[in-house]
Amino acid sequence: MSVVHQLTAGWLLDHLSFINQCGYEIYDSFVRPCCVTLNTSDSLAGDHYPASTCATTHLSRNASGPGAGDAVETEGKTGKTRYVFREEFFHILKPHIVTAAQEQLWQGGSEVSLTETEASSGGVENRGGTKGGIGDLVARARKKRKRKCVFNQGELDALEYHTKIRELIWEGTLHLVQEGVKSGFLHCTTTKLSCSKNVVPGHIDCGLAELCEMAKQFPAINNSDRQAVQAIDDETFIPEQGLLSCITENNSSYAKMIELMGQKYLVPPKSSFLLSDISCLQPLLNYKKKYDVIVMDPPWENKSVKRSNRYGHLSSWQIKQIPVSALAAPGCLVVTWVTNRQKHLRFVKDELYPHWSVKTLAEWHWVKITKSGEFVLPLDSSHKKPYEVLVLGRVQGSIEEALRKPDDVLPIPDHKLIVSVPCSLHSHKPPLTEVLAEFIKPDVECLELFARNLQPGWTSWGNEVLKFQHIDYFTVLQDEK
């Protein structure tokens, strides 16, 4: 279970536990690696990308078996290799920015000061960090902007939004952190380690997005000849063009390993995926499934992304072209991750959802904490916040459908918190499967758009959909014969 504690305020999640309970066990027999090779030809894929040099850590002290990616070799027997996600990716031991007020959270302090915000606004006098003080800060910031242009309009809008939700974030996180400390899931003693640095293992560049871009140069396939879905089979040889042109399924009850461009990826049981960019969504439509839950994490356009050229981004117009209406079942629950830019939040609520006939129901927040329960960033930081926004809505159908209340499904509540220790890997969002369970029917079809990892029971799409399934992000826990 990924839910450690559930309170009125929301949920305290264990992201790492969720990944490791997805069933990453690979069975091997007759000295044959359980690995499906995806054909790579130099004429299509270009240079091969080298395997990552990240070290593999064995969690079992006495483990002496193969490293990650190696199959258990047996002679006429069946062996089982179990993989777990590397724990160091969740070793967030200290805040990225440390302030004196950070320790108050797990100690149960009533409020934090506005030191960080005030410092960034040119030395505005501290007035105790009260709710009214924040409102005064906004007014002073607006006056100061007329003289020195300290804040631009976007920053002022973000500050006003923060003012409205700050107390909710603080109080709810405090209660969930206190429960986490009581149960031992969070450890206050880690605060003493704040002088050390968070260990962030190196980036693994698998070239998936580049492969999707190159796929546009592949010869076109007639729709009549196009295969809608392919299953991963131990005996199957899947060429890249097949991988990029149809849904790939793992229908078995155990994980499979596939190889692409010389890199190995773990595919969890009962999962399916499409590796493509936004221009190649037709295979998803050909899949002929209607989804009851659609979660998306769009690559929002912003200045830092443009400057870095590291991550792709889409304009608001491009995001509107995603055929959600064609993919959604009646009453589909749509969840969109939104950055803290108010421009994007307004776009989702006022333009994107109405365009898809989705009615906005609630805003939730994902709050990022350290393993000791501190905010990863000061709550009142003027640059980045320790939280992100989720906008939840439902597809609107006929009047009859609107009046029909699904059995055993609760209405979507507003202002819920999802509190968790974040993964150090960029954009590895916490799982929503168990959080959404009480608001949807059991055994429904779920789809994640712009995904970077796979989940059992879900269909996932994106141009980096296998990114966090790379074998170097996992380690062998134990070998059984």
Side-chain angles (χ1 to χ4, degrees):
M1 295 287 288
S2 62
V3 176
V4 181
H5 295 289
Q6 180 175 356
L7 302 177
T8 303
W11 304 267
L12 178 64
L13 294 190
D14 185 349
H15 189 169
L16 178 62
S17 175
F18 175 85
I19 297 174
N20 291 335
Q21 291 174 8
C22 285
Y24 288 107
E25 296 178 341
I26 290 184
Y27 291 82
D28 175 67
S29 60
F30 308 113
V31 202
R32 175 172 49 80
C34 183
C35 178
V36 180
T37 301
L38 303 176
N39 184 32
T40 304
S41 64
D42 293 340
S43 61
L44 294 179
D47 296 333
H48 289 187
Y49 289 78
S52 169
T53 57
C54 291
T56 299
T57 304
H58 288 275
L59 300 186
S60 175
R61 294 184 179 180
N62 298 323
S64 58
D70 295 333
V72 180
E73 292 192 359
T74 64
E75 190 169 349
K77 298 181 180 180
T78 298
K80 181 175 71 174
T81 305
R82 183 181 176 192
Y83 294 86
V84 293
F85 205 75
R86 289 167 56 185
E87 189 175 355
E88 58 262 39
F89 288 112
F90 289 90
H91 279 178
I92 310 300
L93 304 178
K94 73 177 188 69
H96 302 309
I97 300 175
V98 181
T99 66
Q102 286 292 88
E103 292 186 18
Q104 292 184 29
L105 185 58
W106 64 262
Q107 290 176 341
S110 59
E111 273 291 350
V112 293
S113 69
L114 296 176
T115 305
E116 182 69 20
T117 303
E118 291 167 355
S120 65
S121 63
V124 179
E125 181 183 359
N126 180 8
R127 300 195 179 184
T130 62
K131 185 176 181 181
I134 303 177
D136 292 340
L137 177 64
V138 175
R140 291 197 298 272
R142 288 189 179 277
K143 291 180 182 179
K144 198 171 184 66
R145 180 175 179 269
K146 295 178 181 179
R147 299 193 304 270
K148 297 184 179 180
C149 296
V150 175
F151 288 113
N152 60 36
Q153 189 59 48
E155 290 168 334
L156 287 170
D157 291 343
L159 185 56
E160 286 194 44
Y161 179 79
H162 177 70
T163 303
K164 296 176 183 177
I165 66 168
R166 182 184 186 276
E167 185 176 359
L168 165 76
I169 299 288
W170 172 261
E171 293 289 342
T173 305
L174 172 63
H175 294 151
L176 286 163
V177 165
Q178 287 176 335
E179 288 300 312
V181 170
K182 290 177 184 177
S183 67
F185 175 69
L186 300 174
H187 304 280
C188 302
T189 53
T190 18
T191 305
K192 298 178 182 178
L193 302 176
S194 59
C195 58
S196 63
K197 293 183 178 180
N198 292 330
V199 178
V200 181
H203 173 71
I204 300 173
D205 187 359
C206 308
L208 296 173
E210 291 82 357
L211 177 61
C212 292
E213 185 65 27
M214 286 187 287
K216 298 176 183 178
Q217 309 303 320
F218 291 173
I221 301 176
N222 294 329
N223 284 333
S224 58
D225 299 330
R226 189 185 300 271
Q227 185 180 358
V229 61
Q230 61 188 354
I232 300 177
D233 189 293
D234 293 348
E235 304 291 343
T236 302
F237 182 78
I238 307 177
E240 286 162 351
Q241 192 167 0
L243 181 77
L244 294 157
S245 62
C246 69
I247 301 290
T248 301
E249 292 181 334
N250 177 11
N251 295 317
S252 70
S253 57
Y254 52 91
K256 296 292 184 72
M257 193 183 295
I258 62 175
E259 187 172 327
L260 174 62
M261 299 178 69
Q263 306 289 316
K264 294 180 179 179
Y265 301 89
L266 286 166
V267 180
K270 306 298 181 182
S271 64
S272 57
F273 67 91
L274 171 64
L275 174 63
S276 79
D277 67 13
I278 196 170
S279 67
C280 304
L281 282 174
Q282 190 59 42
L284 196 57
L285 297 172
N286 294 344
Y287 200 30
K288 303 296 183 182
K289 282 193 176 182
K290 295 288 187 177
Y291 296 94
D292 303 280
V293 178
I294 298 178
V295 175
M296 68 186 75
D297 182 17
W300 296 105
E301 188 176 25
N302 61 63
K303 291 181 180 178
S304 63
V305 168
K306 288 182 178 179
R307 285 194 298 265
S308 69
N309 289 325
R310 182 176 176 184
Y311 305 106
H313 62 272
L314 295 178
S315 67
S316 297
W317 179 86
Q318 289 173 306
I319 294 173
K320 287 178 72 172
Q321 306 315 305
I322 300 171
V324 165
S325 299
L327 295 167
C332 172
L333 177 62
V334 180
V335 183
T336 304
W337 291 93
V338 186
T339 67
N340 283 312
R341 288 190 66 186
Q342 293 305 294
K343 173 184 176 181
H344 296 152
L345 183 58
R346 287 194 298 267
F347 165 72
V348 171
K349 296 167 65 176
D350 300 339
E351 294 185 47
L352 187 63
Y353 277 12
H355 178 72
W356 289 335
S357 298
V358 173
K359 179 182 179 181
T360 300
L361 299 177
E363 287 180 32
W364 292 0
H365 294 85
W366 171 36
V367 184
K368 309 170 197 178
I369 60 172
T370 68
K371 297 187 75 172
S372 60
E374 302 166 291
F375 293 117
V376 296
L377 291 164
L379 181 58
D380 296 305
S381 170
S382 61
H383 179 49
K384 289 185 177 181
K385 296 292 190 290
Y387 58 81
E388 294 184 32
V389 185
L390 299 88
V391 182
L392 294 85
R394 283 199 188 276
V395 171
Q396 300 301 290
S398 63
I399 297 177
E400 292 78 8
E401 290 174 349
L403 294 175
R404 190 185 306 127
K405 295 182 179 179
D407 297 332
D408 302 323
V409 174
L410 298 176
I412 302 294
D414 203 2
H415 303 307
K416 287 287 186 177
L417 302 184
I418 298 171
V419 179
S420 72
V421 177
C423 183
S424 60
L425 299 170
H426 177 73
S427 290
H428 202 323
K429 295 294 195 294
L432 301 179
T433 302
E434 294 176 24
V435 167
L436 298 176
E438 58 186 308
F439 309 111
I440 57 178
K441 296 179 180 180
D443 302 321
V444 296
E445 295 287 348
C446 302
L447 170 67
E448 183 174 7
L449 301 175
F450 304 102
R452 296 175 181 86
N453 60 286
L454 309 179
Q455 299 182 59
W458 286 64
T459 299
S460 304
W461 163 79
N463 66 347
E464 293 185 313
V465 72
L466 295 174
K467 182 179 179 66
F468 298 135
Q469 303 302 133
H470 194 284
I471 192 67
D472 282 1
Y473 291 125
F474 294 78
T475 185
V476 175
L477 177 63
Q478 62 186 15
D479 302 324
E480 300 178 7
K481 295 183 179 179

